[in-house]
Amino acid sequence: MSNAVTPSPELVAVIRRWNDAVRLKDRAALMNLLSSSEHLRYQGSADGESWSGQVFRRGFADHTREIPDFSWDEHSLEAFECGDIGWAHCEATLAFTSNGKATLHRFTFVLHLENGVWKMIQMHVSNPTSNMEKIGIEHEALNALIAAARQEFTQDQQEGAASVMFTDIAGSSEITRQVGDHKWTALISSHFDLAENLIHTHGGRLVKSLGDGTMSIFSSVHDAIQAATEFQRENAALQSDIPLGLRVGIHTGDVIQRDEDFFGSVVNKAARVTGLCGANEILVTDVTRLLLGATAGLQFSAPISAQLKGFGGPQTVYRVDWAKP
């Protein structure tokens, strides 16, 4: 494989097909040009327009349908490739029929060869104007898609979309050494009782408990985060001379059930995210953050880039401020 970076007329043509598909709201072309990888990323200009994976791929065509008709005046477009990776930069003025405004937009693209075909893996649209000011609307199609996704998985299905939550205790080995096995057994038994009660109260299912940790599954991402935040609050409120530093990680995606257990990369990723947590922290993946949207009373940290074993490239997680009810 050559390491030389070369200008790519082929990718210029791909980007122009993409731009035409967005302008024409061509669902089939848009779906075909987007990667099928869960590592697909999109960053827009408006607040909240940070989307990823197949939730984004399935919903982007509906997103474009909400965009009023516009004309496209391309100012520059350049593209390059190196082996099976390509990238491009484009500047264009878009004039929207909804309000007659013409604004400069800047676009960047990263592509890779997927079964011999160039596919979009990352996109960024840069414009300092809000959607409401720019085109007179706010986008709701992806929100509708997300709401539908919340209903896709029920607890008696064999596979589907769900939120997986892992919990464990920070520094449990040291606590056991300090208090002894007998007292630790009583502590962790009481801890598991609290966990099971909160998981069931919020419509989840306790799949397993191992050592000092639990794995549970929820058909609703909102139920999962409610269980997580209440677990942290109630654990913090316990009057104990041996505080337990609870760590919680949540990821959302497709799971497969077999013999009363659940499998899939979503399970592995949720476990890895929990491993990033400090004591008394909740971390959620970018997919879970997207699905949660603007949940009332819920506040998140800025995006945190992290490496997760078994998942290539940096992954994005968010810390949840659980202290505020």
Side-chain angles (χ1 to χ4, degrees):
M1 180 184 296
S2 172
N3 290 323
V5 176
T6 59
S8 178
E10 180 182 6
L11 287 181
V12 167
V14 170
I15 299 302
R16 285 189 173 135
R17 286 199 298 273
W18 169 264
N19 291 337
D20 284 342
V22 172
R23 183 174 56 83
L24 297 172
K25 312 179 195 303
D26 186 339
R27 181 182 184 85
L30 293 169
M31 290 282 287
N32 187 53
L33 286 165
L34 287 168
S35 171
S36 59
S37 169
E38 280 296 336
H39 300 307
L40 173 65
R41 297 291 185 269
Y42 175 91
Q43 181 66 58
S45 288
D47 185 34
E49 286 188 345
S50 182
W51 303 317
S52 62
Q54 296 311 292
V55 168
F56 164 64
R57 183 172 180 267
R58 292 194 297 265
F60 187 68
D62 293 329
H63 170 75
T64 62
R65 290 197 188 99
E66 292 185 319
I67 301 173
D69 291 341
F70 62 90
S71 62
W72 176 282
D73 182 13
E74 180 185 298
H75 305 308
S76 66
L77 172 58
E78 55 183 355
F80 306 89
E81 61 182 278
C82 180
D84 59 359
I85 299 296
W87 57 98
H89 177 268
C90 177
E91 288 192 352
T93 294
L94 279 62
F96 294 92
T97 59
S98 57
N99 57 16
K101 290 186 177 180
T103 55
L104 178 68
H105 284 64
R106 299 175 294 270
F107 305 85
T108 59
F109 306 86
V110 178
L111 305 93
H112 76 131
L113 282 171
E114 201 169 284
N115 298 319
V117 179
W118 287 109
K119 301 283 187 175
M120 305 279 185
I121 191 68
Q122 191 271 340
M123 288 162 285
H124 181 212
V125 180
S126 175
N127 179 267
T129 311
S130 70
N131 280 336
M132 183 60 72
E133 181 181 350
K134 180 172 62 178
I135 58 179
I137 65 165
E138 292 292 352
H139 294 301
E140 296 295 339
L142 278 174
N143 292 335
L145 173 75
I146 290 165
R150 296 187 185 116
Q151 306 302 319
E152 287 181 358
F153 186 87
T154 57
Q155 300 292 9
D156 57 352
Q157 279 183 255
Q158 295 304 300
E159 59 184 277
S163 290
V164 177
M165 181 175 80
F166 278 85
T167 74
D168 72 2
I169 302 300
S172 59
S173 296
E174 178 61 21
I175 296 173
T176 305
R177 188 187 66 78
Q178 291 177 0
V179 304
D181 291 338
H182 181 75
K183 188 164 186 177
W184 170 252
T185 299
L187 278 171
I188 203 64
S189 177
S190 177
H191 179 78
F192 282 160
D193 287 344
L194 175 60
E196 185 171 13
N197 178 62
L198 288 171
I199 290 164
H200 289 168
T201 296
H202 291 284
R205 174 180 173 184
L206 179 63
V207 177
K208 63 175 71 173
S209 57
L210 293 171
D212 62 348
T214 70
M215 171 189 164
S216 55
I217 191 165
F218 298 79
S219 58
S220 162
V221 67
H222 284 84
D223 288 345
I225 200 68
Q226 286 295 323
T229 54
E230 287 193 29
F231 197 5
Q232 285 286 15
R233 290 174 193 143
E234 294 205 19
N235 180 68
L238 291 173
Q239 300 298 316
S240 173
D241 57 343
I242 307 169
L244 301 181
L246 179 61
R247 309 192 307 167
V248 183
I250 303 174
H251 179 44
T252 305
D254 291 332
V255 297
I256 300 170
Q257 181 179 358
R258 185 184 306 124
D259 299 330
E260 299 303 310
D261 208 343
F262 291 84
F263 301 88
S265 63
V266 61
V267 175
N268 296 331
K269 192 165 187 177
R272 298 298 186 196
V273 168
T274 309
L276 294 176
C277 290
N280 307 312
E281 284 188 350
I282 300 172
L283 292 179
V284 300
T285 61
D286 51 356
V287 173
T288 302
R289 169 69 183 90
L290 171 64
L291 289 167
L292 285 167
T295 301
L298 205 57
Q299 296 184 18
F300 301 89
S301 70
I304 302 166
S305 181
Q307 297 290 334
L308 299 179
K309 184 178 180 181
F311 295 87
Q315 306 293 307
T316 302
V317 298
Y318 295 81
R319 185 175 296 108
V320 180
D321 181 2
W322 56 266
K324 299 178 180 179

